[in-house]
Amino acid sequence: MSQELKREEIVDSVREGVKILYRKTLEEANQQELFQAVSYAVKDIIIDKWLATQQTFDKEDPKFVYYMSMEFLMGRALGNNLINLKEYAGFKEALEEIGLNLDEIEDQEPDPALGNGGLGRLAACFMESLATLGYPAYGCGIRYRYGMFKQKIKDGFQVEEPDNWLKDGYPFELRRPEYAYEVKFGGYVRAENTPDGKTRFVQEGYQSVRAIPYDMPIVGYGNNVVNTLMIWDAEPSECFELNSFDKGDYRKAVEQENLAKNLVEVLYPNDNHIAGKELRLKQQYFFVSASVQRALARYKKNHDDIHKLPEKVTFQLNDTHPTVAVAELMRILLDEEGLSWDEAWEITTKTCAYTNHTIMAEALEKWPIEIFSRLLPRIYQIVEEINRRFVLQIQASFPGDNNKIAKMAIIYDGQVKMAHLAIAAGYSVNGVARLHTEILKNEQLHDFYEMFPQKFNNKTNGITQRRFLLHGNPLLAAWVTDHIGEDWITNLSHIEKLAIYADDKKAQQEFMNIKYQNKLRLAKYIKEHNGIEVDPRSIFDVQVKRLHEYKRQLLNILHVMYLYNELKEHPEMDFYPRTFIFGAKAAAGYKIAKLTIKLINSVADVINNDRSINGKIKVVFIEDYRVSNAEWIFAAADVSEQISTASKEASGTGNMKFMLNGALTLGTMDGANVEIVEEVGAENAFIFGMSSDEVIAHERNRDYDPMQIFNQDQDIRKVLMQLINGFYSPNNPEQFRDLYNSLLNTQSTQYADTYFILKDFRSYADAQKRVMEAYKDEDAWAKSAILNVAHCGKFSSDRTIQEYVDDIWKLEKVTVVCDK
């Protein structure tokens, strides 16, 4: 088909979409309506490939991975789908011919509010890589109505508002009521004897909901493969009980309606109270039960022998949230399939695999027995029996060592420990960066590693270059392709061919000009959204990630306060202009994290309005950080702040996205930073701070006293005193007292400066000086930036997924032919 004819077809499809959806002409449609119509035109292309993929699956009967995750931070779909369909240029040109701008249309798409942080974005990258590599996969999660929240900054404070991403309807989803399943909560379990002499367990007196899947297409790059993200919505299992309603029992009439509504309302409801804890556990069981039921029904459609399930199905548990899948699979095999315990356990332990994403003990989920047993009575019975048998196994492995039981039991001290369940049942346990995996083996999960060394393995995280370079940074992507061809798009290791251009003066100038254009784009965004003028020729120093104390946004802003003090005291000092850019959401109930956001904004108000420093420092907090604005931020960054306390960050993936876009890492030797420095060389990064071994030693010995640093270092003392003397909060001098106390422990028995901010402060300040000096030499900086891009090949999620396939999942590629 000629390009002209194809363009006509695209325009006709969009025109028809506007007519059918809105009873309007193209000229009458607004931008949101145009987005919907263009998306449906793209979806039409996708559906043919989706059908062809499903037909290939039906014919070849491959093994599937069901990737179970509480979060999928997908980002906008329109642009990415067009890129992976290789239709982006065609649609852009066709729309331009009728006066429409594809960039503006893309901006109408809300970010699907299905995730929050790195866990969810990793899941999204993995799904895209699975499709691009041609491996059969289902993503399994929840269709949250409002996500976590939309972040607004009011008077410097974070305010959480509902993220109503579905208000205009979402064109890239398909409701599939034919695959609805019942999910049960509460009630009691009755044992009954069956005619063949077995005991059967029946849950009665329960509440239930209907889980309805919505399928979203995951388009592989240029290969016709379309996998499925299956996100579950909840509906009442019965309509209003009119009898109850007529009798005036309104509460009973709406009970099921409310249960269904609450399950899918928000991601990570505040669990500072019992109701929040209960809701989180219900959410986890809801999507896991529905997904496992769907997976088994799909298997049984073509297979009679349930014992062979592991040959065709693997459940990958993305952190501890979906671990209840172990017990739910056991329940179905025992209660519905009628298997013996040993048969069911044999299948389950060959089907479930667990990814650990955290070293933080707080994130290794533990549920109070009272809540767990009340909400999931049959599941709790099964977990009890798993635990009973596991304790016997522990005793056999470590005879006489009762301390091992205390540390390893699944049920202990009134709690159900989900990570312990995942490790006991999983056939694989993986960390997500080499350092992280070693810390798990030697520290947090050492007892389990002693018992099951064969289960433990590492899979360093990765990112998809198709979103974070090809789509997010089209100028750099085109430049890379011009120099080395297109192979990098599906094989990022080819990007190493760029290294020969690192010393090329012309290439350096071109690279820095592209960076400047991207900084202009971000500067315009900041002016429009923050009202702050930033200099695109300044150093763009960026820290964007979930806000948590261990990620040390506080260290960053304290250093900005220190620099400002230096400038005020020595206005003549040599200083290269800096723009410090932050973006982060804090969990709604996380007081210190939310106060850190207020501090960043208060510091910004003072510094940005101080004319005496001539704009040498600017501080920007980007509201509602999400995938769509992240793409612009990564493209514009000069410096990538990866400054977590060593040993605390499992991997990080923002570090990889910055690297891919030519930013230099300023970081600790933590998570995947270690491997980034190995790839690019320490001379092309700025490393500071204690090592993970040093941090772990201080924690073990409890020999660190931040008060000594406070007393001995007058610069640090001045910065900390500014937290409590009203310098940044004249109307409320006590505003930041809790931050001050968290660092110095003046009014608390808690361990002071838990994340070693003051301990690493001077080392961080020195690294920042090295950044400033290095940036003054533009050619040398350009060389380092190009080398960062050239050496990021290892950090593609394509590589990570191939390792999962080879070592854990054992999947086979499919080839999909689609003539349409």
Side-chain angles (χ1 to χ4, degrees):
M1 184 190 299
S2 72
Q3 288 299 108
E4 196 174 328
L5 200 56
K6 194 171 182 183
R7 285 198 292 269
E8 276 179 31
E9 220 175 74
I10 291 168
V11 171
D12 287 346
S13 181
V14 174
R15 184 175 278 118
E16 192 69 9
V18 168
K19 184 176 87 175
I20 290 168
L21 290 168
Y22 303 107
R23 203 197 63 191
K24 288 185 178 181
T25 65
L26 262 181
E27 294 68 32
E28 293 170 319
N30 65 31
Q31 288 291 94
Q32 174 61 214
E33 290 162 349
L34 289 169
F35 157 70
Q36 296 279 345
V38 170
S39 296
Y40 275 100
V42 174
K43 188 176 175 184
D44 196 33
I45 299 169
I46 292 171
I47 292 282
D48 287 328
K49 297 179 189 297
W50 212 353
L51 281 168
T53 302
Q54 289 300 317
Q55 287 158 4
T56 304
F57 291 162
D58 290 344
K59 182 178 159 195
E60 297 186 10
D61 188 28
K63 184 179 184 181
F64 280 83
V65 61
Y66 290 82
Y67 195 83
M68 296 192 159
S69 181
M70 280 296 281
E71 297 186 44
F72 287 91
L73 194 59
M74 302 306 298
R76 293 170 174 168
L78 175 57
N80 218 64
N81 284 340
L82 282 171
I83 278 175
N84 282 14
L85 291 167
K86 294 189 164 181
E87 296 281 0
Y88 195 91
F91 266 74
K92 191 175 178 68
E93 288 165 15
L95 293 171
E96 279 171 359
E97 285 187 8
I98 54 171
L100 300 178
N101 183 313
L102 182 54
D103 290 337
E104 290 173 7
I105 289 170
E106 280 190 69
D107 281 341
Q108 292 299 309
E109 180 177 359
D111 282 51
L114 303 174
N116 170 44
L119 184 81
R121 186 52 234 173
L122 182 80
C125 285
F126 278 7
M127 290 304 298
E128 196 267 3
S129 283
L130 278 158
T132 294
L133 294 173
Y135 291 116
Y138 281 95
C140 307
I142 295 176
R143 183 178 180 263
Y144 302 103
R145 300 278 169 84
Y146 302 110
M148 194 154 120
F149 54 80
K150 186 182 279 286
Q151 183 191 57
K152 294 288 183 188
I153 301 297
K154 295 182 180 173
D155 190 29
F157 288 99
Q158 170 180 291
V159 177
E160 299 89 15
E161 296 185 352
D163 188 354
N164 193 5
W165 68 286
L166 289 165
K167 69 183 170 66
D168 294 309
Y170 193 64
F172 292 107
E173 65 176 10
L174 284 174
R175 185 172 182 271
R176 307 298 299 276
E178 67 271 32
Y179 297 120
Y181 293 94
E182 185 181 28
V183 180
K184 301 172 183 176
F185 300 99
Y188 58 92
V189 179
R190 179 173 56 81
E192 62 180 25
N193 292 322
T194 61
D196 58 359
K198 291 183 179 176
T199 303
R200 184 166 169 266
F201 294 90
V202 182
Q203 191 171 345
E204 294 182 340
Y206 56 83
Q207 283 187 311
S208 70
V209 295
R210 281 177 81 234
I212 311 281
Y214 281 70
D215 288 355
M216 288 172 62
I218 307 296
V219 181
Y221 183 82
N223 65 351
N224 295 323
V225 173
V226 181
N227 278 334
T228 302
L229 174 61
M230 184 167 57
I231 48 174
W232 296 92
D233 195 13
E235 294 181 0
S237 43
E238 296 165 26
C239 294
F240 267 15
E241 296 178 16
L242 285 173
N243 191 34
S244 302
F245 194 76
D246 290 343
K247 288 177 182 172
D249 189 355
Y250 182 74
R251 184 190 60 79
K252 190 174 176 187
V254 298
E255 213 167 57
Q256 289 200 47
E257 187 86 27
N258 284 339
L259 174 59
K261 181 169 169 281
N262 291 340
L263 275 174
V264 295
E265 198 116 274
V266 295
L267 166 67
Y268 299 141
N270 192 342
D271 63 352
N272 293 353
H273 44 73
I274 295 294
K277 282 187 169 63
E278 288 185 4
L279 182 53
R280 282 202 186 196
L281 181 57
K282 283 179 180 173
Q283 285 183 325
Q284 291 177 11
Y285 182 66
F286 163 72
F287 95 86
V288 161
S289 175
S291 301
V292 173
Q293 289 184 67
R294 174 79 185 104
L296 265 63
R298 194 181 193 290
Y299 171 81
K300 288 175 70 176
K301 198 170 110 183
N302 298 312
H303 304 91
D304 297 326
D305 187 355
I306 197 71
H307 296 86
K308 293 183 178 176
L309 182 73
E311 294 175 17
K312 295 296 179 183
V313 170
T314 192
F315 295 118
Q316 186 68 37
L317 312 178
N318 193 30
D319 219 352
T320 51
H321 311 123
T323 301
V324 72
V326 169
E328 175 64 2
L329 180 55
M330 287 292 290
R331 181 192 70 78
I332 294 172
L333 295 174
L334 293 168
D335 297 354
E336 296 179 16
E337 298 297 327
L339 300 189
S340 69
W341 181 276
D342 289 342
E343 287 175 306
W345 187 245
E346 175 79 5
I347 294 166
T348 299
T349 54
K350 289 180 177 175
T351 307
C352 296
Y354 164 54
T355 300
N356 175 285
H357 279 279
T358 184
I359 296 158
M360 309 295 288
E362 70 198 44
L364 295 174
E365 288 181 304
K366 305 170 190 73
W367 297 106
I369 287 175
E370 188 279 322
I371 291 176
F372 197 100
S373 59
R374 175 165 46 83
L375 293 183
L376 308 174
R378 178 59 181 141
I379 293 298
Y380 180 69
Q381 285 183 341
I382 290 168
V383 173
E384 267 194 324
E385 180 61 14
I386 293 172
N387 180 62
R388 186 186 72 79
R389 292 171 181 240
F390 185 52
V391 167
L392 293 175
Q393 221 181 326
I394 296 168
Q395 289 172 331
S397 297
F398 306 103
D401 190 348
N402 286 332
N403 192 39
K404 291 287 188 189
I405 295 170
K407 291 197 283 185
M408 297 175 71
I410 296 163
I411 300 174
Y412 197 83
D413 201 19
Q415 294 180 316
V416 182
K417 301 181 178 185
M418 303 309 278
H420 296 192
L421 175 60
I423 299 166
Y427 67 89
S428 166
V429 177
N430 74 278
V432 291
R434 194 175 65 239
L435 175 65
H436 167 234
T437 302
E438 290 307 307
I439 290 172
L440 291 179
K441 292 191 318 195
N442 298 326
E443 302 284 337
Q444 267 72 5
L445 303 178
H446 178 66
D447 299 302
F448 291 94
Y449 178 62
E450 275 190 297
M451 189 166 172
F452 303 120
Q454 74 284 358
K455 290 188 181 187
F456 283 75
N457 60 95
N458 177 59
K459 299 288 171 280
T460 297
N461 283 342
I463 59 171
T464 168
Q465 64 270 27
R466 290 166 291 279
R467 178 175 287 277
F468 291 105
L469 183 49
L470 192 56
H471 182 262
N473 194 345
L475 294 176
L476 184 57
W479 183 83
V480 172
T481 298
D482 285 347
H483 285 77
I484 65 168
E486 290 188 341
D487 287 350
W488 65 271
I489 298 171
T490 50
N491 187 343
L492 193 58
S493 63
H494 282 263
I495 209 160
E496 69 184 353
K497 294 176 185 175
L498 275 181
I500 60 169
Y501 295 100
D503 286 304
D504 184 294
K505 297 294 182 222
K506 180 169 177 283
Q508 290 173 355
Q509 287 173 352
E510 289 168 350
F511 185 93
M512 293 304 282
N513 185 51
I514 288 168
K515 181 63 76 175
Y516 180 70
Q517 295 303 319
N518 285 322
K519 289 167 81 171
L520 280 175
R521 179 175 71 165
L522 184 59
K524 184 167 178 275
Y525 179 94
I526 290 168
K527 178 66 176 166
E528 287 171 3
H529 290 80
N530 294 68
I532 300 169
E533 295 263 7
V534 300
D535 179 5
R537 298 199 182 279
S538 66
I539 301 171
F540 276 23
D541 181 306
V542 186
Q543 187 177 19
V544 286
K545 54 183 73 234
R546 181 170 62 88
L547 211 145
H548 192 289
E549 287 165 277
Y550 84 81
K551 293 176 186 285
R552 301 203 294 191
Q553 285 92 346
L554 184 55
L555 172 60
N556 190 341
I557 196 63
L558 291 176
H559 175 258
V560 173
M561 292 159 63
Y562 159 75
L563 279 184
Y564 179 59
N565 290 342
E566 290 287 285
L567 265 182
K568 293 295 281 183
E569 288 172 22
H570 311 285
E572 75 295 340
M573 70 185 278
D574 184 25
F575 193 89
Y576 200 98
R578 316 276 272 278
T579 299
F580 293 94
I581 297 170
F582 295 82
K585 288 183 177 180
Y590 195 169
K591 187 179 172 187
I592 286 285
K594 293 176 80 169
L595 194 57
T596 304
I597 290 176
K598 173 59 176 170
L599 176 63
I600 293 166
N601 284 306
S602 296
V603 172
D605 283 345
V606 170
I607 292 177
N608 296 344
N609 292 300
D610 185 346
R611 292 186 179 180
S612 74
I613 62 169
N614 298 318
K616 287 179 181 175
I617 303 176
K618 288 287 177 78
V619 181
V620 176
F621 187 94
I622 291 181
E623 184 180 74
D624 203 36
Y625 175 62
R626 57 198 185 278
V627 177
S628 53
N629 58 24
E631 292 177 28
W632 287 26
I633 294 166
F634 295 133
D638 293 308
V639 177
S640 162
E641 294 260 5
Q642 308 299 330
I643 60 176
S644 56
T645 310
S647 81
K648 302 304 176 194
E649 186 72 84
S651 168
T653 51
N655 44 10
M656 302 169 190
K657 293 158 197 166
F658 281 112
M659 183 188 190
L660 179 64
N661 283 274
L664 275 61
T665 299
L666 166 61
T668 51
M669 288 298 264
D670 196 24
N673 293 355
V674 175
E675 291 164 75
I676 285 174
V677 170
E678 270 180 19
E679 295 297 308
V680 76
E683 68 279 11
N684 296 304
F686 304 93
I687 300 303
F688 76 95
M690 289 190 292
S691 68
S692 58
D693 287 343
E694 289 172 313
V695 169
I696 290 166
H698 279 305
E699 289 175 333
R700 191 174 285 136
N701 300 330
R702 297 183 73 86
D703 59 0
Y704 165 55
D705 179 10
M707 208 67 200
Q708 284 185 347
I709 296 170
F710 177 82
N711 289 330
Q712 291 167 11
D713 190 320
Q714 62 178 8
D715 295 330
I716 289 176
R717 186 163 63 251
K718 180 174 182 177
V719 166
L720 293 195
M721 292 308 295
Q722 287 172 335
L723 291 175
I724 55 169
N725 66 12
F727 190 87
Y728 290 103
S729 53
N731 296 327
N732 182 6
E734 289 293 300
Q735 180 116 64
F736 302 114
R737 172 69 67 176
D738 286 348
L739 291 176
Y740 176 88
N741 288 346
S742 76
L743 295 169
L744 294 175
N745 197 21
T746 54
Q747 297 175 350
S748 166
T749 55
Q750 184 188 334
Y751 192 29
D753 192 13
T754 310
Y755 297 107
F756 302 96
I757 286 171
L758 303 191
K759 182 78 172 167
D760 274 350
F761 185 92
R762 278 296 172 188
S763 179
Y764 178 61
D766 289 344
Q768 283 280 14
K769 282 179 187 159
R770 300 202 309 272
V771 168
M772 188 174 74
E773 290 306 312
Y775 196 81
K776 290 176 185 174
D777 184 343
E778 186 172 299
D779 290 350
W781 186 276
K783 175 182 177 177
S784 285
I786 292 169
L787 287 172
N788 266 272
V789 179
H791 289 105
C792 69
K794 173 180 178 174
F795 302 108
S796 171
S797 47
D798 299 344
R799 185 266 316 151
T800 315
I801 286 298
Q802 193 58 54
E803 290 180 4
Y804 274 96
V805 167
D806 292 343
D807 301 341
I808 302 174
W809 301 334
K810 311 297 184 187
L811 306 178
E812 297 289 336
K813 288 191 181 195
V814 296
T815 301
V816 176
V817 177
C818 181
D819 298 325
K820 292 189 177 181

